[in-house]
Amino acid sequence: MFDLSPVPVPDLTGRTILVTGASQGIGAVLAGMLAANGANVFAGVKQEVSRESANMLSATTVLELDVTRTDQVQNAISTVSQTSGKLDVLVNNAGTIAPIGLVETIRPEDMLATFDTNVVGILRLIRAALPMLEQSKGTVLNAGTGAATTAMKGWTPYCTTKASARMLTLMCELELADRGIKNFFLGIPPTDTSMQEKIRASGLNPISRISQHDLVRPEVPASVMAFLCGSEACRSMPTLLDVRDDRIRKMMVSDNDSK
């Protein structure tokens, strides 16, 4: 449906990267991909990882990290600092689509919980990591979605918080660029993950009716994120990007091309 393939991942030897939300899905694939390409990877996980994810994370340092917990955020950043002494890239991948439902069913306290993960969680990590990111002239990469700019029935908390995360990224670029920190918000198309299973079960909008066969493989957005974790060549990219952008598509290698 989307006709998307992974992009080549550069050599990341010497780069230290922290990935949140790495217990499954795109986050686990990304963490494994980064480590396979030479990066020193810290994988933040909130929940127990599956055997498949454990294999992908075997070459990483796994940290207990719930982005809504200030103590766990501080402990994770402290571990990165003490172990590696630097941080080149912070990947804010942790996120939630819950609760899914029509506006009249959404409880305010549930909306606040979504904001705490999808928006405030990003801010917690950026604030804690800022000294190391400034020292390394590093990069902040926030996992985005087209839902940040397009209203989708049943996704009030998700669309609203992702729109806020998009603006938070723009604010960080405005205020931190002169300190050498590059910020990205990467739009990710519907991907074959557990989140998409919840979307499909809701049946509330067109995205829920995409068959699993037509979803994007997690390796595709993970490869684009890994590319953006590279060095200077990536810093010329605009702050707002999408996996489906022409400039990204031109780098993609199809399965046929790679044989």
Side-chain angles (χ1 to χ4, degrees), residues 134-222:
E134 187 170 9
Q135 183 179 26
S136 66
K137 307 300 181 186
T139 298
V140 177
L141 171 56
N142 299 323
T145 168
T149 56
T150 303
M152 300 298 298
K153 186 177 181 181
W155 292 6
T156 293
Y158 188 64
C159 291
T160 304
T161 56
K162 284 298 188 177
S164 296
R166 181 179 184 272
M167 180 54 72
L168 175 59
T169 307
L170 290 172
M171 292 302 302
C172 287
E173 182 66 10
L174 176 67
E175 298 183 0
L176 300 179
D178 62 356
R179 294 160 73 173
I181 299 172
K182 178 66 180 179
N183 296 269
F184 291 113
F185 183 85
L186 178 67
I188 297 173
T191 303
D192 190 10
T193 64
S194 59
M195 179 183 287
Q196 190 64 31
E197 292 175 8
K198 298 174 184 176
I199 294 169
R200 192 159 50 246
S202 73
L204 286 174
N205 58 48
I207 305 300
S208 69
R209 292 186 282 276
I210 300 175
S211 70
Q212 185 175 8
H213 177 268
D214 290 329
L215 295 170
V216 174
R217 292 177 293 151
E219 290 78 10
V220 174

Side-chain angles (χ1 to χ4, degrees), residues 42 84 93 95 112 140 232:
F42 292 84
S84 181
N93 174 71
L112 284 171
V140 177
E232 284 302 313

Side-chain angles (χ1 to χ4, degrees), residues 119-140:
V119 185
V120 184
I122 294 175
L123 182 61
R124 285 191 186 94
L125 265 299
I126 291 174
R127 281 177 53 106
L130 194 56
M132 282 195 292
L133 290 169
E134 187 170 9
Q135 183 179 26
S136 66
K137 307 300 181 186
T139 298
V140 177

Side-chain angles (χ1 to χ4, degrees), residues 44-65:
V45 303
K46 176 183 177 181
Q47 59 196 49
E48 185 177 351
V49 300
S50 66
R51 180 176 298 179
E52 179 184 18
S53 294
N55 289 336
M56 287 186 281
L57 300 177
S58 61
T60 74
T61 301
V62 177
L63 305 174
E64 182 181 22
L65 180 51

Side-chain angles (χ1 to χ4, degrees), residues 62-75:
V62 177
L63 305 174
E64 182 181 22
L65 180 51
D66 178 344
V67 301
T68 69
R69 293 271 305 271
T70 300
D71 60 332
Q72 290 190 11
V73 169
Q74 294 290 352
N75 288 340

Side-chain angles (χ1 to χ4, degrees), residues 11-19 37-43 61 63 75-91 125 128-139 181 229-232 235:
D11 180 10
L12 299 169
T13 301
R15 295 183 71 73
T16 298
I17 304 170
L18 170 60
V19 181
N37 284 274
N40 180 21
V41 182
F42 292 84
T61 301
L63 305 174
N75 288 340
I77 295 300
S78 178
T79 298
V80 174
S81 178
Q82 293 172 12
T83 305
S84 181
K86 66 166 189 165
L87 180 63
D88 296 294
V89 187
L90 166 63
V91 181
L125 265 299
L130 194 56
M132 282 195 292
L133 290 169
E134 187 170 9
Q135 183 179 26
S136 66
K137 307 300 181 186
T139 298
I181 299 172
C229 289
S231 56
E232 284 302 313
R235 297 179 74 87

